[in-house]
Amino acid sequence: MSLLSQTDSAISPEKRKQATILGVMLCISYCVSYIGRLDFSACIPAMAAEGVFNSAFAGLTGTGFLIFYGIGQFINGFLGDRTDPGAMIGIGLFFSGICNICVGLSSSFPSSKYFILGFWCLAGYFSSMLWAPIVKCIAEYLTGSVKSKVAINISATIPAGTVLSYLLSSLLLSAYGWNSVFYACGSLLIAFSIVWFLIFYRSASVLKPERISHDNSKTRNGDNISGASDQTPGLFTLIASTGLVFTILSILFNGVLKDGVTLWVPSLISDSFSLSPSSASLISVILPIINLPGAYIAIKLNNRYFNNEMTTSALLFGISAASFALLCLVGSFGPVLTVILIAISTSAMLGANTMFLTYIPLEFSSVGRSSSITGFLDACSYAASAVSGVTIGKISSAYGWNAAVYSWIAVAAAGFAVTLAGARFWKAGRHKYVSDKDDNQ
């Protein structure tokens, strides 16, 4: 039986209610975090037009965010398995908001672009305090159908947050300028962090988390409930023995196509079709709207046909490559068609990302490593995103956007090959440590 298919028979009504509330709060928190992460991407054309920085420095700033995010994921993934995940989520939201507001204020300083770079790098670190602890909360606080629903719906918060970020940015850019975007997004993050703290601990007092003791036995309120006696395996033992090596390689390619590409969509549209920054940001809203079903399609494919997250992801890499190839042929027909084709690719990559960063890590909740696995994989993803962020900017500046799209096709093809090769290793290796070993999940 899958970790995501438990029944509700043993859950009291009050616990089910609090689990639902916590699940909703987890989804909203990640959605809000994306509003405060993608505002920079939406503001790049306006900031460049005002002479705040050029495209190369914009790429460096975006890359700085991703580097600090990746480093933070590695650190906070380990911390999430050892500290209070609720506190980490609230702190991450609060200080991400502070950093957004500081970016907005930076224009009043001499050499403002360096202040923007510094604050946006810090925003990257604080943003990294959310995802691994969120997965930990899903694994330990939620049970039954609530856990299943949240695990499925949490990925939809990414495109939802992206839509809200682009819409808010478009409205504020045209009316008040780019500074107002960061003020508004920062204020929203800070306000929600306060709401998070108030609600999380009330729900957590009812939902007693299922924790993993040092002897690898599940405990609830200190009582051994599994009878296991083996020592909890280390992170690198899990990586070496379960096929996660291929997942790590696959998520590097996924990071390039999911986040590296997304960073540059408003600029690509603005440069290729001579649109204003606000218009480019508004058209870019198409991207997350089409992304929205990506996670659900991936889950449906995996549950109905493959029962293997790596096989499902290989198919999605193939769809991404085909979409970019089509973009090379017909992308000049207009900005809307261009964004739709890019969105098909990023939707497929969101689906693969759901497999890599939600479904695969949840398999390891029984050995207390869901947060560590999530943090490590997400760190790898954003390391690739960081490199691609600046690389895409340099390629587009030196050779044009067509060359950048050709590079995306190559990345998608490589991702397809590696992920497909790793599918059989993951199928054999995932059952070594997970608690439920039925292949018919």
Side-chain angles (χ1 to χ4, degrees):
M1 184 174 68
S2 169
L3 292 166
L4 298 177
S5 58
Q6 302 164 357
T7 66
D8 291 328
S9 58
I11 305 174
S12 69
E14 178 61 19
K15 283 191 175 183
R16 188 179 296 112
K17 174 185 174 183
Q18 292 302 323
T20 301
I21 292 172
L22 180 56
V24 170
M25 290 297 293
L26 288 169
C27 290
I28 294 175
S29 68
Y30 205 58
C31 178
V32 169
S33 77
Y34 257 76
I35 295 174
R37 287 168 57 177
L38 295 180
D39 50 352
F40 178 77
S41 175
C43 289
I44 286 176
M47 296 168 81
E50 289 187 14
V52 177
F53 46 48
N54 57 26
S55 61
F57 196 88
L60 176 63
T61 304
T63 297
F65 178 98
L66 296 173
I67 289 173
F68 275 72
Y69 187 96
I71 293 171
Q73 279 290 354
F74 189 78
I75 295 170
N76 293 316
F78 283 97
L79 290 177
D81 280 328
R82 293 163 174 80
T83 60
D84 180 356
M88 292 180 68
I89 293 168
I91 291 170
L93 287 167
F94 181 84
F95 284 102
S96 292
I98 294 293
C99 290
N100 265 267
I101 291 174
C102 288
V103 169
L105 293 170
S106 294
S107 60
S108 61
F109 299 114
S111 302
S112 61
K113 66 180 183 180
Y114 296 107
F115 285 95
I116 293 171
L117 173 62
F119 286 125
W120 202 239
C121 287
L122 289 175
Y125 179 83
F126 288 117
S127 295
S128 75
M129 296 182 72
L130 273 76
W131 181 247
I134 283 174
V135 172
K136 186 71 170 179
C137 286
I138 294 172
E140 292 197 342
Y141 284 95
L142 306 184
T143 56
S145 62
V146 175
K147 174 185 280 191
S148 178
K149 289 176 182 177
V150 174
I152 292 170
N153 292 326
I154 191 75
S155 294
T157 64
I158 298 175
T162 305
V163 168
L164 293 172
S165 183
Y166 281 140
L167 282 176
L168 181 61
S169 298
S170 179
L171 292 172
L172 293 174
L173 278 169
S174 59
Y176 304 106
W178 64 266
N179 306 75
S180 66
V181 176
F182 292 102
Y183 296 149
C185 293
S187 299
L188 178 63
L189 285 163
I190 292 170
F192 187 76
S193 71
I194 297 170
V195 175
W196 166 263
F197 277 119
L198 292 174
I199 294 179
F200 172 77
Y201 287 106
R202 184 173 62 188
S203 295
S205 65
V206 175
L207 302 167
K208 303 300 183 183
E210 184 179 88
R211 301 194 180 279
I212 310 299
S213 70
H214 292 293
D215 64 358
N216 193 38
S217 52
K218 290 184 184 178
T219 64
R220 194 178 291 274
N221 296 332
D223 298 324
N224 187 299
I225 63 172
S226 73
S229 59
D230 295 330
Q231 186 177 8
T232 301
L235 174 63
F236 294 103
T237 298
L238 292 174
I239 290 172
S241 60
T242 60
L244 282 177
V245 170
F246 287 93
T247 306
I248 292 168
L249 295 174
S250 299
I251 206 167
L252 294 176
F253 299 118
N254 179 256
V256 172
L257 299 176
K258 174 180 167 288
D259 295 293
V261 171
T262 301
L263 175 68
W264 288 101
V265 169
S267 297
L268 184 156
I269 299 301
S270 181
D271 294 346
S272 300
F273 300 100
S274 301
L275 297 178
S276 67
S278 60
S279 297
S281 180
L282 185 59
I283 292 175
S284 297
V285 171
I286 297 172
L287 190 75
I289 291 175
I290 296 178
N291 281 352
L292 189 59
Y296 296 102
I297 292 171
I299 294 165
K300 197 76 169 179
L301 287 170
N302 189 61
N303 291 345
R304 178 168 294 186
Y305 299 108
F306 301 120
N307 190 30
N308 186 319
E309 292 84 357
M310 295 292 281
T311 305
T312 302
S313 298
L315 174 62
L316 296 170
F317 271 113
I319 293 172
S320 177
S323 179
F324 284 134
L326 190 58
L327 177 62
C328 291
L329 298 175
V330 301
S332 61
F333 289 179
V336 174
L337 180 59
T338 295
V339 173
I340 288 173
L341 290 172
I342 294 174
I344 291 172
S345 171
T346 55
S347 178
M349 289 300 92
L350 177 62
N353 193 259
T354 301
M355 297 293 103
F356 296 144
L357 293 182
T358 303
Y359 274 66
I360 287 177
L362 281 174
E363 296 284 4
F364 297 97
S365 62
S366 61
V367 291
R369 293 297 184 192
S370 58
S371 182
S372 298
I373 293 291
T374 303
F376 186 83
L377 291 176
D378 212 6
C380 293
S381 174
Y382 278 91
S385 301
V387 173
S388 67
V390 68
T391 302
I392 290 170
K394 288 184 177 295
I395 291 173
S396 63
S397 297
Y399 305 106
W401 283 108
N402 281 341
V405 175
Y406 293 143
S407 72
W408 300 343
I409 295 172
V411 170
F416 170 81
V418 170
T419 308
L420 188 62
R424 67 185 183 93
F425 292 96
W426 168 242
K427 182 177 181 180
R430 64 179 172 178
H431 296 311
K432 293 181 179 179
Y433 296 104
V434 298
S435 59
D436 299 304
K437 302 186 179 183
D438 179 10
D439 274 337
N440 298 317
Q441 47 182 304

